[in-house]
Short mmCIF file of all heavy atoms in Angstrom, two decimals:
data_model
loop_
_atom_site.label_atom_id
_atom_site.label_comp_id
_atom_site.label_asym_id
_atom_site.label_seq_id
_atom_site.Cartn_x
_atom_site.Cartn_y
_atom_site.Cartn_z
N GLY A 114 -27.31 30.79 10.53
CA GLY A 114 -27.05 31.55 11.74
C GLY A 114 -28.06 31.29 12.84
O GLY A 114 -28.18 32.07 13.78
N HIS A 117 -25.25 26.95 16.27
CA HIS A 117 -23.92 26.50 15.87
C HIS A 117 -23.94 25.06 15.37
O HIS A 117 -23.13 24.67 14.56
CB HIS A 117 -22.94 26.60 17.05
CG HIS A 117 -22.53 28.02 17.35
ND1 HIS A 117 -22.39 28.98 16.39
CD2 HIS A 117 -22.24 28.64 18.53
CE1 HIS A 117 -22.02 30.13 16.94
NE2 HIS A 117 -21.93 29.95 18.24
N SER A 167 -1.20 21.34 6.56
CA SER A 167 -0.11 22.22 7.03
C SER A 167 -0.24 22.54 8.51
O SER A 167 0.69 23.09 9.10
CB SER A 167 -0.13 23.53 6.23
OG SER A 167 0.27 23.29 4.91
N GLN A 168 -1.38 22.26 9.08
CA GLN A 168 -1.60 22.62 10.49
C GLN A 168 -0.86 21.67 11.43
O GLN A 168 -0.83 20.46 11.20
CB GLN A 168 -3.10 22.57 10.83
CG GLN A 168 -3.90 23.74 10.29
CD GLN A 168 -3.65 25.04 11.05
OE1 GLN A 168 -3.03 25.05 12.11
NE2 GLN A 168 -4.16 26.14 10.50
N ALA A 195 -6.62 25.74 -1.10
CA ALA A 195 -7.03 26.19 0.22
C ALA A 195 -7.38 27.67 0.01
O ALA A 195 -6.48 28.50 -0.12
CB ALA A 195 -5.90 26.04 1.23
N ILE A 196 -8.63 27.95 -0.09
CA ILE A 196 -9.11 29.23 -0.62
C ILE A 196 -8.33 29.53 -1.90
O ILE A 196 -8.52 28.82 -2.88
CB ILE A 196 -9.07 30.37 0.43
CG1 ILE A 196 -9.76 29.91 1.76
CG2 ILE A 196 -9.84 31.59 -0.13
CD1 ILE A 196 -9.95 31.03 2.78
N SER A 197 -7.41 30.52 -1.87
CA SER A 197 -6.72 30.88 -3.11
C SER A 197 -5.40 30.14 -3.30
O SER A 197 -4.75 30.27 -4.33
CB SER A 197 -6.43 32.39 -3.09
OG SER A 197 -5.39 32.68 -2.17
N GLU A 198 -4.99 29.40 -2.27
CA GLU A 198 -3.63 28.84 -2.33
C GLU A 198 -3.61 27.47 -2.98
O GLU A 198 -4.27 26.54 -2.50
CB GLU A 198 -3.07 28.78 -0.90
CG GLU A 198 -3.05 30.16 -0.24
CD GLU A 198 -2.30 30.19 1.08
OE1 GLU A 198 -2.18 29.13 1.74
OE2 GLU A 198 -1.81 31.28 1.45
N GLN A 203 1.25 24.08 -0.02
CA GLN A 203 1.20 23.32 1.23
C GLN A 203 2.26 22.21 1.22
O GLN A 203 2.81 21.87 2.25
CB GLN A 203 -0.18 22.67 1.45
CG GLN A 203 -1.38 23.58 1.19
CD GLN A 203 -1.49 24.75 2.14
OE1 GLN A 203 -0.96 24.71 3.25
NE2 GLN A 203 -2.19 25.80 1.73
N ARG A 268 -10.16 35.38 -9.18
CA ARG A 268 -8.97 36.14 -8.78
C ARG A 268 -7.71 35.28 -8.72
O ARG A 268 -6.61 35.80 -8.69
CB ARG A 268 -9.18 36.79 -7.40
CG ARG A 268 -10.18 37.93 -7.42
CD ARG A 268 -10.34 38.52 -6.04
NE ARG A 268 -9.23 39.40 -5.69
CZ ARG A 268 -9.31 40.72 -5.65
NH1 ARG A 268 -10.42 41.33 -5.95
NH2 ARG A 268 -8.26 41.43 -5.30
N TYR A 269 -7.89 33.97 -8.62
CA TYR A 269 -6.69 33.14 -8.42
C TYR A 269 -6.59 31.89 -9.28
O TYR A 269 -5.63 31.15 -9.17
CB TYR A 269 -6.55 32.77 -6.94
CG TYR A 269 -7.75 32.07 -6.33
CD1 TYR A 269 -7.96 30.71 -6.51
CD2 TYR A 269 -8.67 32.79 -5.57
CE1 TYR A 269 -9.06 30.08 -5.96
CE2 TYR A 269 -9.78 32.16 -5.01
CZ TYR A 269 -9.97 30.82 -5.21
OH TYR A 269 -11.06 30.20 -4.66
N ASP A 325 -36.33 31.42 14.00
CA ASP A 325 -35.24 32.21 14.57
C ASP A 325 -35.11 31.88 16.06
O ASP A 325 -36.12 31.68 16.73
CB ASP A 325 -35.53 33.71 14.44
CG ASP A 325 -35.19 34.20 13.04
OD1 ASP A 325 -34.71 33.39 12.22
OD2 ASP A 325 -35.43 35.39 12.77
N ILE A 343 -24.19 33.81 34.45
CA ILE A 343 -25.11 33.68 33.30
C ILE A 343 -26.54 33.95 33.76
O ILE A 343 -27.31 34.66 33.08
CB ILE A 343 -25.02 32.25 32.71
CG1 ILE A 343 -23.59 31.93 32.27
CG2 ILE A 343 -26.01 32.08 31.56
CD1 ILE A 343 -23.11 32.70 31.08
N GLU A 346 -27.03 37.64 34.11
CA GLU A 346 -27.09 38.34 32.82
C GLU A 346 -28.40 38.05 32.10
O GLU A 346 -28.99 38.94 31.48
CB GLU A 346 -25.89 37.95 31.94
CG GLU A 346 -24.59 38.58 32.44
CD GLU A 346 -23.40 38.33 31.53
OE1 GLU A 346 -23.50 37.50 30.61
OE2 GLU A 346 -22.37 38.99 31.75
N TYR A 350 -30.96 40.96 31.15
CA TYR A 350 -31.29 41.23 29.75
C TYR A 350 -32.79 41.06 29.51
O TYR A 350 -33.39 41.80 28.72
CB TYR A 350 -30.46 40.35 28.81
CG TYR A 350 -30.52 40.83 27.38
CD1 TYR A 350 -30.15 42.15 27.06
CD2 TYR A 350 -30.96 40.01 26.35
CE1 TYR A 350 -30.22 42.62 25.75
CE2 TYR A 350 -31.03 40.47 25.03
CZ TYR A 350 -30.66 41.78 24.75
OH TYR A 350 -30.74 42.24 23.46
N TYR A 353 -34.33 44.20 30.60
CA TYR A 353 -34.03 45.25 29.62
C TYR A 353 -34.96 45.14 28.41
O TYR A 353 -35.57 46.12 27.98
CB TYR A 353 -32.56 45.11 29.21
CG TYR A 353 -32.12 45.98 28.07
CD1 TYR A 353 -31.80 47.32 28.28
CD2 TYR A 353 -31.99 45.46 26.78
CE1 TYR A 353 -31.37 48.12 27.23
CE2 TYR A 353 -31.57 46.25 25.73
CZ TYR A 353 -31.25 47.58 25.95
OH TYR A 353 -30.84 48.36 24.91
N ASP B 32 -3.52 33.53 1.99
CA ASP B 32 -4.29 34.21 0.93
C ASP B 32 -4.00 35.70 0.82
O ASP B 32 -4.78 36.44 0.23
CB ASP B 32 -5.80 33.99 1.12
CG ASP B 32 -6.18 32.53 1.25
OD1 ASP B 32 -6.07 31.82 0.24
OD2 ASP B 32 -6.55 32.08 2.36
N ARG B 35 -2.14 36.69 -4.11
CA ARG B 35 -2.96 36.93 -5.28
C ARG B 35 -4.39 37.33 -4.93
O ARG B 35 -4.98 38.20 -5.57
CB ARG B 35 -2.97 35.68 -6.15
CG ARG B 35 -3.16 36.09 -7.60
CD ARG B 35 -3.43 34.93 -8.47
NE ARG B 35 -2.22 34.20 -8.82
CZ ARG B 35 -2.19 33.32 -9.81
NH1 ARG B 35 -3.27 33.11 -10.53
NH2 ARG B 35 -1.09 32.65 -10.07
N ARG B 41 -9.43 41.68 1.41
CA ARG B 41 -8.75 42.51 0.39
C ARG B 41 -7.87 43.59 0.99
O ARG B 41 -7.55 44.58 0.33
CB ARG B 41 -9.77 43.17 -0.56
CG ARG B 41 -10.79 42.22 -1.17
CD ARG B 41 -10.17 41.30 -2.21
NE ARG B 41 -11.19 40.47 -2.84
CZ ARG B 41 -11.41 39.19 -2.53
NH1 ARG B 41 -10.65 38.58 -1.63
NH2 ARG B 41 -12.36 38.50 -3.14
N ASP B 44 -4.73 43.71 -1.00
CA ASP B 44 -5.00 43.70 -2.44
C ASP B 44 -3.90 44.44 -3.22
O ASP B 44 -3.49 45.54 -2.82
CB ASP B 44 -6.35 44.37 -2.70
CG ASP B 44 -6.91 44.01 -4.06
OD1 ASP B 44 -6.43 43.03 -4.66
OD2 ASP B 44 -7.84 44.70 -4.52
N THR B 58 1.50 32.09 2.80
CA THR B 58 2.09 31.03 3.62
C THR B 58 1.23 29.77 3.58
O THR B 58 0.05 29.84 3.24
CB THR B 58 2.16 31.46 5.09
OG1 THR B 58 0.81 31.61 5.57
CG2 THR B 58 2.92 32.76 5.26
N LEU B 60 -1.15 26.96 5.30
CA LEU B 60 -2.30 27.21 6.17
C LEU B 60 -1.96 26.80 7.62
O LEU B 60 -2.35 25.72 8.07
CB LEU B 60 -3.49 26.39 5.65
CG LEU B 60 -4.91 26.83 5.94
CD1 LEU B 60 -5.90 25.87 5.32
CD2 LEU B 60 -5.21 27.04 7.40
N ALA B 61 -1.22 27.64 8.32
CA ALA B 61 -0.74 27.26 9.64
C ALA B 61 -0.41 28.51 10.44
O ALA B 61 0.60 29.16 10.19
CB ALA B 61 0.49 26.38 9.51
N GLU B 62 -1.25 28.84 11.40
CA GLU B 62 -1.06 30.10 12.12
C GLU B 62 0.16 30.06 13.04
O GLU B 62 0.87 31.05 13.18
CB GLU B 62 -2.31 30.46 12.93
CG GLU B 62 -3.49 30.89 12.07
CD GLU B 62 -4.16 29.75 11.34
OE1 GLU B 62 -3.91 28.58 11.71
OE2 GLU B 62 -4.92 30.00 10.40
N GLU B 129 -19.45 30.35 13.10
CA GLU B 129 -18.59 30.18 14.29
C GLU B 129 -17.13 30.55 14.08
O GLU B 129 -16.59 30.30 13.00
CB GLU B 129 -18.57 28.69 14.68
CG GLU B 129 -19.66 28.23 15.56
CD GLU B 129 -19.36 26.79 15.99
OE1 GLU B 129 -19.35 25.90 15.14
OE2 GLU B 129 -19.12 26.58 17.18
N ASP B 298 -21.43 36.99 28.78
CA ASP B 298 -20.38 36.01 29.08
C ASP B 298 -20.74 34.64 28.55
O ASP B 298 -20.83 33.66 29.29
CB ASP B 298 -20.10 36.04 30.58
CG ASP B 298 -19.43 37.37 30.93
OD1 ASP B 298 -18.28 37.54 30.53
OD2 ASP B 298 -20.09 38.24 31.52
N TYR B 301 -19.42 33.39 21.51
CA TYR B 301 -20.05 34.25 20.51
C TYR B 301 -21.21 33.47 19.87
O TYR B 301 -21.04 32.34 19.43
CB TYR B 301 -19.05 34.69 19.44
CG TYR B 301 -19.60 35.85 18.66
CD1 TYR B 301 -19.45 37.15 19.12
CD2 TYR B 301 -20.35 35.65 17.50
CE1 TYR B 301 -20.01 38.23 18.43
CE2 TYR B 301 -20.91 36.72 16.82
CZ TYR B 301 -20.74 38.00 17.30
OH TYR B 301 -21.30 39.07 16.62
N PRO B 303 -24.67 32.27 17.54
CA PRO B 303 -25.01 32.20 16.12
C PRO B 303 -25.48 33.58 15.63
O PRO B 303 -26.00 34.37 16.43
CB PRO B 303 -26.17 31.20 16.06
CG PRO B 303 -26.24 30.55 17.38
CD PRO B 303 -25.46 31.34 18.36
N SER B 304 -25.29 33.85 14.35
CA SER B 304 -25.44 35.23 13.88
C SER B 304 -26.85 35.80 14.07
O SER B 304 -27.00 37.00 14.20
CB SER B 304 -24.99 35.34 12.42
OG SER B 304 -25.75 34.48 11.62
N LYS B 305 -27.86 34.92 14.10
CA LYS B 305 -29.22 35.45 14.30
C LYS B 305 -29.36 36.10 15.69
O LYS B 305 -30.35 36.78 15.95
CB LYS B 305 -30.25 34.33 14.17
CG LYS B 305 -30.37 33.79 12.76
CD LYS B 305 -31.56 34.37 12.04
CE LYS B 305 -31.68 33.74 10.67
NZ LYS B 305 -32.58 34.50 9.79
N HIS B 309 -28.19 40.93 19.64
CA HIS B 309 -28.45 41.03 21.09
C HIS B 309 -27.15 41.05 21.89
O HIS B 309 -27.06 41.67 22.93
CB HIS B 309 -29.32 39.85 21.55
CG HIS B 309 -30.71 39.90 21.00
ND1 HIS B 309 -31.67 40.75 21.48
CD2 HIS B 309 -31.27 39.24 19.97
CE1 HIS B 309 -32.78 40.60 20.78
NE2 HIS B 309 -32.57 39.68 19.86
N ASP B 315 -28.63 51.66 21.97
CA ASP B 315 -29.65 51.58 23.03
C ASP B 315 -29.07 51.08 24.35
O ASP B 315 -29.36 51.61 25.42
CB ASP B 315 -30.79 50.64 22.61
CG ASP B 315 -31.73 51.31 21.63
OD1 ASP B 315 -31.82 52.55 21.66
OD2 ASP B 315 -32.37 50.59 20.83
N ARG B 316 -28.25 50.03 24.25
CA ARG B 316 -27.66 49.51 25.50
C ARG B 316 -26.68 50.50 26.11
O ARG B 316 -26.59 50.61 27.33
CB ARG B 316 -27.00 48.15 25.25
CG ARG B 316 -28.01 47.00 25.44
CD ARG B 316 -27.43 45.68 25.02
NE ARG B 316 -26.36 45.25 25.93
CZ ARG B 316 -25.40 44.37 25.59
NH1 ARG B 316 -25.38 43.84 24.39
NH2 ARG B 316 -24.50 44.02 26.47
#
Side-chain angles (χ1 to χ4, degrees):
Chain A
H117 285 326
S167 291
Q168 285 286 350
I196 309 189
S197 73
E198 302 189 336
Q203 315 295 337
R268 290 180 77 106
Y269 55 81
D325 280 358
I343 302 291
E346 287 186 348
Y350 194 56
Y353 172 80
Chain B
D32 307 290
R35 209 190 281 195
R41 308 289 184 258
D44 199 16
T58 65
L60 206 179
E62 289 74 16
E129 273 188 295
D298 291 291
Y301 196 85
S304 59
K305 291 260 183 195
H309 292 284
D315 283 334
R316 271 173 68 202

